[in-house]
């Protein structure tokens, strides 16, 4: 049997992208700057070479030859939760460290054929689209055909988590992977608007990727929640009263309806800052659509997610636990988490949804790498077309 195509994973965190791709690709190298995340990576991928430290200190000659490079570069400067300072800011500017390595590999005669850049959807509008255009422009000038998809974790797990996946390929592309135009789900209006605004030269490198239909989710929030968590995780009466007091009348009605409905109901709760009558107010907002909100790193008042568990006419509140968060990210029960809850939630909040990555790997990345039987494949077309 032929060996799997080799994978390089940058900004690897706990290795969730590698976990999703490991059925099709072989992780051979990873890099991250965070010591805690690196410890998590080593615990789950002990046989993969991991370079801990700043990506800018790596050299192209440090890297093994590979078929696919994955980069989930820092999103804080691009997301709505941050200052949206763009790709030239310190954290998201780490992308250029990754790109420096890719250019070095190409100059050395061993370019990586396929690149995946994963980030928040805010990248499409950051600096009025200039960051998105700059990113795609670099890829196009280097000879890559490039396209993007928006995948929401809610197609795979009980979490609402839309993310942008930019996929670039150097070389010939199977005809079956090229669509005549955008897909209404994978290429939403925000992406189509961003593509329409691209400079002409960059637009020539664009491709609308074609994939099989997305799966239908078969799990809901209740299925990932621990049935009998430790007693000390629940809010006391005062904590529960504060949570209720932070709910607007609409969200109190939702909670009371779930409480009166009988059976066991679980809602996901976020605390958010809202402006009401000209003043900023912290509100607790609950949803009962079977989904958790997007997992985030536990670093602020609106970052932590909570659960409202209603049964026997009463509702109790508690934080979402790290193992529950791991299930929402599609991690197997065997995935090794940091011992501390805060550290574990940071690894997961900064990660990628494992089954979404697996689907992307099988539907698009494997056939681009020439792997048969994993996704669509067909006759190649010239990459310069």
């Amino acid at each position: 049997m032929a060996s799997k195509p080799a994978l390089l994973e940058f900004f690897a965190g706990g290795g969730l992208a590698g976990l999703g791709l490991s059925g099709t690709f072989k992780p051979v190298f990873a890099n991250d700057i965070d010591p805690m995340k690196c410890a998590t990576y080593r615990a789950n991928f002990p046989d993969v070479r991991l370079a801990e430290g700043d990506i800018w200190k790596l050299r192209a000659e440090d890297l093994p030859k590979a078929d696919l490079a994955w980069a989930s570069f820092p999103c804080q400067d691009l997301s709505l939760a941050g200052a949206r300072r763009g790709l030239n800011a310190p954290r998201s500017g780490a992308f250029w460290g990754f790109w420096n390595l890719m250019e070095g590999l190409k100059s050395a005669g061993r370019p990586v054929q396929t690149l995946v850049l994963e980030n928040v959807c805010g990248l499409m509008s950051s600096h009025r689209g200039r960051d998105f255009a700059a990113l795609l422009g670099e890829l196009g000038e280097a000879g890559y055909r490039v396209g993007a998809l928006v995948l929401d974790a809610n197609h795979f797990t009980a979490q609402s988590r839309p993310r942008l996946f930019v996929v670039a390929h150097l070389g010939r592309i199977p005809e079956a992977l090229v669509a005549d135009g955008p897909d209404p789900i994978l290429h939403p209006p925000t992406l189509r608007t961003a593509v329409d605004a691209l400079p002409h030269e960059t637009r020539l490198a664009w491709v609308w990727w074609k994939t099989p239909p997305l799966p239908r989710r078969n799990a809901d929030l209740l299925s990932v929640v621990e049935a009998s968590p430790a007693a000390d995780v629940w809010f006391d009466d005062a904590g529960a009263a504060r949570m209720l007091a932070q709910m607007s009348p609409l969200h109190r009605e939702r909670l009371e309806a779930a409480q009166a409905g009988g059976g066991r109901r679980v809602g996901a709760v976020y605390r958010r800052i809202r402006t009401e009558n000209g003043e900023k107010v912290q509100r607790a907002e609950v949803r009962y659509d079977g989904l958790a909100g997007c997992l985030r790193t536990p670093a602020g008042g609106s970052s932590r997610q909570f659960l409202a568990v209603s049964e026997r006419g009463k509702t109790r509140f508690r934080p979402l636990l790290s193992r529950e968060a791991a299930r929402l990210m599609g991690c197997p029960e065997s995935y090794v988490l940091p011992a501390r809850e805060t550290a574990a939630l940071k690894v997961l909040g900064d990660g990628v949804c494992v089954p979404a990555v697996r689907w992307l790997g099988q539907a698009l990345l494997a056939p681009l790498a020439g792997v048969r039987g994993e996704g669509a494949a067909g006759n190649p077309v010239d990459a310069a077309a």
Side-chain angles (χ1 to χ4, degrees):
M1 180 178 177
S3 60
K4 295 177 182 177
L7 165 68
L8 309 176
E9 188 178 0
F10 297 91
F11 315 103
L16 299 193
L19 186 61
L21 293 170
S22 59
T24 309
F25 293 84
K26 178 179 175 59
V28 296
F29 179 90
N31 165 253
D32 200 277
I33 196 171
D34 187 311
M36 181 273 295
K37 292 179 181 177
C38 286
T40 306
Y41 189 97
R42 292 188 186 99
N44 289 283
F45 298 89
D47 298 327
V48 178
R49 179 184 162 201
L50 173 67
E52 180 177 336
D54 192 339
I55 193 170
W56 283 103
K57 294 182 179 179
L58 292 175
R59 300 172 301 173
E61 49 264 38
D62 297 328
L63 307 178
K65 182 175 174 56
D67 305 277
L68 172 65
W70 184 288
S72 293
F73 59 96
C75 69
Q76 292 94 327
D77 292 302
L78 300 171
S79 69
L80 294 175
R84 292 175 61 87
R85 290 175 293 166
L87 285 172
N88 290 324
R91 288 168 293 185
S92 293
F95 162 78
W96 298 109
F98 163 77
W99 186 240
N100 183 58
L101 291 172
M102 296 301 101
E103 290 185 309
L105 288 172
K106 190 179 181 197
S107 297
R110 48 192 187 100
V112 180
Q113 292 297 115
T114 306
L115 310 178
V116 181
L117 310 174
E118 180 265 341
N119 214 286
V120 295
C121 294
L123 174 58
M124 291 181 283
S125 58
S126 176
H127 280 151
R128 298 184 179 180
R130 292 194 298 272
D131 287 327
F132 186 64
L135 184 73
L136 269 58
E138 290 289 332
L139 295 166
E141 287 181 17
Y144 285 89
R145 290 293 301 279
V146 58
L149 311 90
V150 173
L151 283 178
D152 196 323
N154 66 19
H155 291 282
F156 309 91
T157 69
Q159 180 191 182
S160 174
R161 189 184 186 84
R163 286 295 185 268
L164 178 71
F165 297 83
V166 177
V167 179
H169 186 71
L170 190 66
R172 295 170 71 82
I173 299 175
E175 290 180 352
L177 300 180
V178 180
D180 294 331
D183 177 273
I185 298 175
L186 295 173
H187 308 124
T190 49
L191 177 56
R192 283 174 257 162
T193 298
V195 172
D196 288 342
L198 292 174
H200 176 70
E201 296 77 7
T202 305
R203 187 68 175 83
L204 291 175
W206 181 263
V207 57
W208 294 109
W209 295 119
K210 184 178 182 181
T211 69
L214 285 162
R216 179 172 296 181
R217 174 173 51 90
N218 59 6
D220 62 14
L221 182 59
L222 183 60
S223 68
V224 306
V225 170
E226 292 285 344
S228 301
D232 61 358
V233 303
W234 296 101
F235 286 13
D236 58 18
D237 290 344
R242 285 193 297 270
M243 182 72 82
L244 287 170
Q246 290 176 339
M247 290 188 176
S248 68
L250 172 63
H251 289 271
R252 284 289 295 269
E253 288 175 11
R254 289 179 182 175
L255 185 141
E256 290 166 1
Q259 187 172 283
R264 188 168 187 256
R265 295 287 306 279
V266 177
V269 183
Y270 258 133
R271 285 178 169 145
R272 305 180 190 276
I273 300 299
R274 300 296 187 190
T275 300
E276 298 178 5
N277 300 320
E279 296 184 0
K280 291 185 177 180
V281 180
Q282 187 176 57
R283 286 298 189 188
E285 299 179 353
V286 62
R287 59 191 296 173
Y288 288 100
D289 57 356
L291 295 173
C294 182
L295 294 177
R296 304 173 187 172
T297 55
S302 64
S303 301
R304 192 71 189 266
Q305 195 159 175
F306 302 90
L307 298 177
V309 181
S310 301
E311 51 189 340
R312 294 187 291 275
K314 295 182 179 180
T315 298
R316 295 188 293 171
F317 299 95
R318 66 171 175 85
L320 180 77
L321 304 176
S322 61
R323 182 52 64 183
E324 295 166 332
R327 293 169 189 154
L328 290 172
M329 295 298 283
C331 297
E333 296 297 305
S334 59
Y335 183 80
V336 181
L337 292 168
R340 293 188 303 111
E341 281 286 291
T342 299
L345 290 169
K346 181 179 179 182
V347 169
L348 297 166
D350 282 342
V352 289
C353 176
V354 173
V357 173
R358 183 179 300 119
W359 179 87
L360 181 64
Q362 295 175 349
L364 182 58
L365 306 179
L368 283 175
V371 178
R372 301 286 176 171
E374 293 288 350
N379 298 321
V381 296
D382 196 319

